[in-house]
Amino acid sequence: MLELKNLSKFYGNVKAVNQVNLTISKGEFFCLLGPSGCGKTTILRMVAGFEKVTEGNIYLEGKDITNDAPNNRDVNTVFQNYALFPNLSVWENIAYGLKIRKITKDECNRRVEDVVRLTGLSGFEKRMPSKLSGGQQQRVALARALVNRPSILLLDEPLSALDKKIAEQTRNELSELQRKVGITFIFVTHNQTEALALADRIAVMKDGIIEHCDQPKEIYEKPRTHFVADFIGSMNFFECTIKASEDKATLLEIPEIGDVILTGQNKQEAGKTVQFCVRPERMKISMLQPAEYENCIKGVIRQKTYLGEITKFVVELAGNRQISIMAQNYLLKLSNEFYDIGEEVNIIWSKTSGEIIHV
Amino acid sequence: MAGNLSRNNDLGIGQSKWLKFITWFGIAFLLLPLIILIVYSFNESRTVTRWEGFSFRWYKALFSDVSIWLAIKNSLTIAIVSTLVSVSLGTMAAMLIARYSFKGKKLLQNILYIPVILPDIIFGVALLSLFILIKFPLGIISVICAHVTFSFPFATMVIMGKVINLPESLSEASLDLGASRWQTFVKVILPNIAPGVISGALFAFSMSIDDFVITFFTAGVGASTLPLKIYSLIKHGITPSLNAISTILIVFTVVVLLMANFLQKTKKISRSFKIALGTFFLIIVGLLVVSPFFTKSSERLNIYNYSNYLDPELIKKFSNETGIKVTLDYVNDNDEMLAKLQMGVAGYDIIFPTAFMVEIMKKQNLLAPICIDSIPNYKYITPGFRKMSFDTTGRYYVPYAYGYTGMVYNSNYIEGPVDSWDILWDERYKGKIMMINEMREVFFVASKRLGFKMDTSLSKLNMARDILIEQKPLLKKYESNAIGDLMASEEVWIAQDWSGSITRLTSSDPKFKLGYPKEGVLFFIDNMCIPANAPNKGNAERFINFLLDPAHSAQNINCIMYAMPNDSAKKLIPAEILNNPTVFPKIKNFDSIEIARDFGEFNRELTRAWMEVKVH
């Protein structure tokens, strides 16, 4: 179990990490997600011991390791650029940590063999790192860290240097690998797709603080802040006022556009100004009138972009506000040709969709 | 493949025929002298300019010369130790500059360039001043310190190139995997910057091996390196022996630099190279063990002499008989000897100044009085040499050897008799006459031709100057070092020359003959003196006594072929040497011989007149 208590890192006046509290349980696949400069890598580097902690403490299995040297921590890192030792072969790279720890030769060979098999590197043991592809290098970096059986494996954007296809494949393998070895993974990324696909829990960071920490589904469906809502996926925001609210149903008034209903929420305080947000893929364009369980507003199509699996519409609402809508291309004609730019359409979504964000 | 892809640009930039020609011409100009030097090192002939067949003769001569081996050993010891130190320092400095930001980093980087930009001579003088100021004894260690100062910035720069290219995450990865900082340095950083470290080392090594100027200033007793030795050999003319040493040095340097270049390019260092490196280090350790650093001997004697001016067998014998460890360093001329003495840190016990220099040194209180009582063999010295005009007390010198300046000529071209200085003004030999490049020698000849005794009279001096100007169009040149070579190659037919050099020429080929002018010759007497601050004065006196022993004196004369004022020794010398007028001039009255003196204040006038001749 890893525990961060009031962890802070300041560079002069810049608060790279500010009072972060976090508990990561054993065997968890935990993801630190955020734009560059949000402090996610700094947290990782403090856990690894490469950065001095300004304030706060780090506990590993209940033991305070805040000021331990990196070589005395039961933690290993997979670096963004892999940091393989260019002077050593694949085998020597992987065995490096074991040799340093003076583990017997037989034991060392057995463990390296195991991890080579696990990461699919069989046959590459004698190669030098410079003779490997990016994906292979990534596996060596992973194997080199895993072979030490650390309590925690830290991964710093391990997929960012790979091609999209390879990255996707490696992502699946990584997830499988983590389940097999059962080691706690802390994964740093700016790529929300990776985070959603891999993590048991995600911490979304901004400006050195954790905005929202929860399971991927919760983060996506019920973002707690505007930033989280905006950063993960796409989102349409409406400034509105709560007109009336009771258990399981809230009536919101969007100025110039009209009233919409959101069900399945707790009772809200009436008269309060809030943000109502709906994901573009939860909305549809229609000529038909809404059903009873649906909200409907009017708009004019301004842009239409064909994106392969989906078509993206930009629709202008009253008061010059624009929102985007994603339509699956399951009926190409319907979404792509039926509606044209300049047409006035109904925008319809279920009353169960959407989220209220308190400002 | 990559080569095929890069094509010549269509504008033809950098493809002009002239550009190619000039580049190749430049390269040829650079390499041609070296090629000539290498080819002539295999020349059978003694002269540099004429080919007489292939031979290893000069290499054989080279390898049988103990003093050259000693110089090579010194050079290697200095180069290896200074390389190790400068590479260690350089690696540390490179890590510091490349990895950390700190106050004054920019300044430090710029300071590193100082030894690169600064002329060696300034650096040498500066180091010498420092050593004198802090009373650091001049010797091998002072030379090593000096070499470290100039090679360490180069090593730093080469190594820094590698350190900068090494991602910092490699060190982090190593620490992360449990390695300590030292393990990280040894297992990760060092192997990856090794090509830089090794090529830095090779640069430092070749710079140290080649250095002359800085070594010249900072060398002390027992620190004669190969370049210093080579320079001292030039005194005897440019022999193929020099070519042979130079060839070896060239080959060595080229190999070292090729290795440096190769290592810069390779990323991984092979196992065999590691073994080679290990062997190299073992050799270093071996060399260090046998080096004079650790050979502790309480009794020492440091001699500062011209090369080939003392029989090395005698030194060996003296060492064996007394247990005193003798170190012999080479001096090139009187002025150099004076300069070393004035520095006050040279540490020599016996020096061999010429008469006029004894006078100068005595005036400057640089000489210690010699205790004649502790030199019983002083009694063998010819009485006329005991209290000569340059030191009438006779307490500051013991005469060593003497000779004179006469003429040597090629009898195939010059019709005899050659018995007057007048022949050096003979129009028939225009362009084939040569004079020594020393003002005292030249003005002596002019004065004699005019019938004067050379003294401090300005009007006489000006007259001498005028006839020298008149002579100048007839001269090949003024030359001191390559007289023998120019005579042998027949570029010069008649030359003013020192008796020792005449002896070598006349014995090498009967066509060379001595010309002894009836007007008189200028004698020189070289003396054994003890510097005022000699550390082993007693041993110096013992050695002087040893040399004055008639048997030893005779052996020495046989070896160096110069006359010595030791009458008992003469009886032990073969008749052909004793009767050779170039070795033992026929002198009736030793009191009447003329020797070069120090003119004191008048030196300034003499120098001015000499300059007027030279620039005319």
Side-chain angles (χ1 to χ4, degrees), chain B residues 90-102 105 108-109 112 156-157 159-168 193:
Chain B
T91 308
M92 290 188 232
M95 294 287 293
L96 181 74
I97 293 169
R99 282 294 161 84
Y100 299 98
S101 48
F102 53 92
K105 174 171 166 172
L108 182 67
Q109 266 175 296
L112 275 181
T156 307
M157 276 174 232
I159 296 166
M160 197 148 68
K162 284 280 168 191
V163 177
I164 284 173
N165 285 330
L166 193 71
E168 199 151 350
I193 62 170

Side-chain angles (χ1 to χ4, degrees), chain A residues 285-287 298-301 339-346:
Chain A
I285 289 170
S286 180
M287 289 301 194
K298 300 246 179 249
V300 178
I301 296 174
Y339 304 104
D340 260 327
I341 291 173
E343 236 175 302
E344 195 181 293
V345 291
N346 287 336

Side-chain angles (χ1 to χ4, degrees), chain A residues 343-355:
Chain A
E343 236 175 302
E344 195 181 293
V345 291
N346 287 336
I347 300 154
I348 290 172
W349 69 94
S350 162
K351 284 175 180 168
T352 55
S353 293
E355 195 63 28

Side-chain angles (χ1 to χ4, degrees), chain B residues 131-149:
Chain B
F131 288 143
I132 291 170
L133 189 73
I134 63 172
K135 296 201 160 55
F136 192 88
L138 296 186
I140 282 201
I141 294 177
S142 64
V143 178
I144 290 173
C145 291
H147 284 203
V148 167
T149 54

Side-chain angles (χ1 to χ4, degrees), chain B residues 492-507:
Chain B
V492 170
W493 295 344
I494 182 159
Q496 185 193 9
D497 199 358
W498 285 291
S499 52
S501 168
I502 299 172
T503 310
R504 274 196 294 276
L505 276 169
T506 50
S507 56

